[in-house]
Amino acid sequence: MSTPAVQTGRPPSVKMLINGQFVESKSREWHDVVNPATQEVLAQVPFATPEEVEAAVAAAKTAYKTWRNTPIAARARVMLKLQALVREHMSRIAETLSAEQGKTLADAEGDVFRGLEVVEHACSVGSLQLGEFAENVAGGVDTYSLRQPIGVCVGISPFNFPAMIPLWMFPMAVVCGNTFVLKPSEQDPLTPMLLAELAQAAGLPPGVLNIVHGGKQSVEALCSHPDVAAVSFVGSTAVGTHVHDLASRHGKRVQCMMGAKNHAVVMPDASKEQTLNALVGATFGAAGQRCMAISVAVLVGEARAWIPDLVAKARTLKVNAGCEKGADLGPLISKTARQRVLGLIEDGVREGARLELDGRDLKVGGYEKGNFVGPTIFSGVTPSMKIYTQEIFGPVMCIMSAASLDEAIALVNRNPFGNGTGIFTQSGAAARRFQNEIDVGQVGSNVPIPVPVPYFSFTGSRGSKLGDLGPYGKQVVQFYTQTKTVTARWFEDGATTAGVNTTISLK
């Protein structure tokens, strides 16, 4: 695998992938890729020029003419090779991811593995892309449906999962016969570029996968390009709403997975130690930078006495650079992200929430310049506070209370987001009632982060999602294909009919 080429007078540059070639950008705008624990500049990423974005889409459009007719088995074999290569290079990918994003090595490997599961599912495209057939729907007439690719597809991926989300996107798109242009986050583009090298080594033909870098200008150019058929986005609500509106106005299929405020409802009969571990891990893992993180714990009835136990458990977590052995969570992605989280913590104090655990003044020896915030816990949080109404995207737990399960369900359902939620209880009846009445797309019973395995679909809902189909599983095959229905009748040579039929029925 290659490394970024060095340009005189500046750090290594991140290349683009266009038509099967890793090329240097001619851009005049470059941004630093920074290690969030040390502030070391790892590389510089270009913001692609309009001509480079155009070249990537043109390459994908040309490649689509032949790739769409590539046999399904041949496409599946590329995915088989890709999953083998990702496994082989797992450690290197995780180390790169940890350095540029800040995750612990264990969490970085988890990031890669959850994406790898989708690649493995893509290997079964032979059954996923099957159509339907009905014989003799009328006399001598058969009807069947085909699932065909739709063309050039675009993926816009976020900083918090630089391996998993790209692997959710391009493998399923290309295995269905489409071609793809990926625009990864400019904050951690090195990991997606390693995945692109592996995809090329696995046998993807030139132009089937392309990567360009950049910010708003690149995103808008891709969303409005006349040769793009579909756009998949994962990221913030503000950007996702803009992407959805722009791409929809230009006639694209769009799916946008956006912000969240995920609640965990804790019943008094829950298994205490298991629940405490689950809540602390799901809240503070990856420094809280997960769209599926548990950011609100709703303690019901006597479970409200568990606050000191949650605080004690959170105090045991070790905050350090992701590369350091034993670290439970690393730094936030950037100085800007850290300042935003600190500002929201200050808002919580000012609005009257009780600060049970304060992570603002955390110092990590040897990494004094790092973007660290320690585990932080508020109790007494109310629905009007900014720490509740806004997605903090940092290691902050908001504790709320409810007198009953009914009250807890009503609280969760009033929140505009619907990405994920969970209930912790030993009562099957309570869990079943919760899953039936809760208005959230993904529900866990004693599972804090209920992200489904890839042969199901990711089903966030309400304010967390725009578009009706999820980013993997059977739903994404529908997203990346169009159904063509054929009704056919064949006649023997010399056959005659009874005459002209002016009705719409077939007999």
Side-chain angles (χ1 to χ4, degrees):
M1 297 173 65
S2 64
T3 56
V6 176
Q7 295 187 0
T8 304
R10 70 182 191 191
S13 61
V14 182
K15 294 183 180 181
M16 299 179 298
L17 174 61
I18 299 178
N19 200 29
Q21 300 295 315
F22 291 93
V23 298
E24 297 286 351
S25 175
K26 293 181 172 59
S27 178
R28 294 183 178 180
E29 183 179 1
W30 296 75
H31 288 235
D32 291 340
V33 180
V34 177
N35 183 317
T38 65
Q39 306 309 313
E40 172 193 3
V41 177
L42 303 174
Q44 287 193 319
V45 61
F47 275 35
T49 67
E51 294 77 16
E52 289 164 346
V53 173
E54 181 66 35
V57 175
K61 182 181 180 181
T62 298
Y64 176 66
K65 297 174 184 177
T66 53
W67 179 248
R68 67 177 306 227
N69 293 318
T70 300
I72 287 179
R75 288 186 246 139
R77 281 193 288 271
V78 174
M79 293 298 110
L80 285 166
K81 180 64 173 175
L82 177 58
Q83 65 87 22
L85 288 171
V86 171
R87 286 184 182 279
E88 179 184 345
H89 293 277
M90 176 81 75
S91 295
R92 183 182 178 188
I93 300 169
E95 288 170 3
T96 299
L97 194 160
S98 177
E100 66 175 345
Q101 202 277 341
K103 289 186 179 182
T104 66
L105 284 172
D107 198 22
E109 288 194 356
D111 187 329
V112 180
F113 182 76
R114 289 310 302 265
L116 177 61
E117 290 181 316
V118 175
V119 182
E120 292 173 338
H121 194 230
C123 297
S124 61
V125 65
S127 58
L128 295 174
Q129 207 170 342
L130 290 177
E132 299 175 312
F133 187 97
E135 186 179 34
N136 283 327
V137 296
V141 178
D142 305 325
T143 298
Y144 53 95
S145 64
L146 312 171
R147 284 210 164 272
Q148 297 184 325
I150 56 177
V152 178
C153 300
V154 164
I156 302 164
S157 62
F159 75 84
N160 58 328
F161 286 97
M164 183 183 79
I165 301 299
L167 289 175
W168 281 9
M169 291 178 171
F170 77 81
M172 292 303 298
V174 303
V175 82
C176 288
N178 303 287
T179 54
F180 206 81
V181 180
L182 176 68
K183 205 299 289 182
S185 170
E186 67 278 10
Q187 297 189 81
D188 44 16
L190 299 175
T191 300
M193 293 309 296
L194 287 180
L195 297 175
E197 291 184 18
L198 296 179
Q200 295 301 106
L204 280 185
V208 173
L209 172 64
N210 305 271
I211 298 183
V212 294
H213 306 288
K216 182 179 180 181
Q217 184 178 15
S218 296
V219 169
E220 292 184 342
L222 291 168
C223 289
S224 59
H225 198 288
D227 292 330
V228 168
V231 176
S232 179
F233 169 89
V234 177
S236 72
T237 296
V239 178
T241 301
H242 177 60
V243 165
H244 184 270
D245 291 348
L246 180 62
S248 296
R249 286 202 311 270
H250 286 84
K252 321 300 180 193
R253 289 189 183 184
V254 197
Q255 56 173 212
C256 293
M257 309 298 125
M258 306 184 298
K261 200 72 176 180
N262 305 313
H263 300 66
V265 173
V266 182
M267 301 300 290
D269 68 339
S271 176
K272 186 173 183 180
E273 189 64 20
Q274 296 294 329
T275 301
L276 293 173
N277 286 333
L279 291 177
V280 169
T283 301
F284 302 117
Q289 296 174 120
R290 296 170 175 157
C291 66
M292 288 295 293
I294 290 295
S295 54
V296 182
V298 183
L299 306 184
V300 178
E302 296 174 1
R304 288 175 284 192
W306 293 11
I307 293 176
D309 302 287
L310 280 168
V311 172
K313 184 72 69 174
R315 287 187 188 276
T316 68
L317 297 180
K318 182 178 179 181
V319 183
N320 212 321
C323 61
E324 294 290 346
K325 186 176 181 180
D328 294 304
L329 61 150
L332 295 169
I333 185 66
S334 67
K335 288 186 176 296
T336 300
R338 180 175 182 272
Q339 288 305 313
R340 180 180 178 277
V341 171
L342 293 177
L344 284 167
I345 294 173
E346 292 170 4
D347 288 333
V349 173
R350 185 165 48 252
E351 292 182 338
R354 180 175 177 178
L355 191 57
E356 303 279 355
L357 180 62
D358 189 351
R360 288 177 291 180
D361 296 325
L362 177 74
K363 304 297 181 185
V364 177
Y367 297 97
E368 288 75 16
K369 295 181 180 180
N371 308 321
F372 295 101
V373 175
T376 299
I377 297 178
F378 281 105
S379 65
V381 177
T382 65
S384 63
M385 294 179 178
K386 287 180 69 175
I387 54 174
Y388 181 75
T389 60
Q390 294 192 25
E391 184 178 24
I392 300 175
F393 228 58
V396 181
M397 176 187 288
C398 296
I399 297 178
M400 307 177 79
S401 63
S404 65
L405 179 58
D406 282 339
E407 186 178 321
I409 290 173
L411 171 65
V412 177
N413 284 347
R414 282 195 298 269
N415 191 278
F417 292 108
N419 221 25
T421 188
I423 184 170
F424 289 84
T425 180
Q426 297 290 21
S427 168
R432 190 176 187 281
R433 182 170 158 220
F434 182 81
Q435 74 178 40
N436 183 56
E437 296 183 12
I438 208 72
D439 187 15
V440 175
Q442 298 174 116
V443 181
S445 292
N446 300 308
V447 174
I449 301 180
V451 177
V453 292
Y455 30 91
F456 286 83
S457 297
F458 188 96
T459 53
S461 62
R462 293 196 289 144
S464 295
K465 178 182 179 181
L466 290 171
D468 62 344
L469 297 172
Y472 61 72
K474 293 180 181 178
Q475 287 188 7
V476 86
V477 175
Q478 293 176 268
F479 181 75
Y480 285 128
T481 60
Q482 56 193 350
T483 301
K484 180 182 290 183
T485 304
V486 180
T487 302
R489 168 185 275 171
W490 298 95
F491 300 100
E492 297 286 347
D493 289 345
T496 60
T497 65
V500 174
N501 184 358
T502 60
T503 70
I504 61 172
S505 64
L506 292 173
K507 298 181 179 179

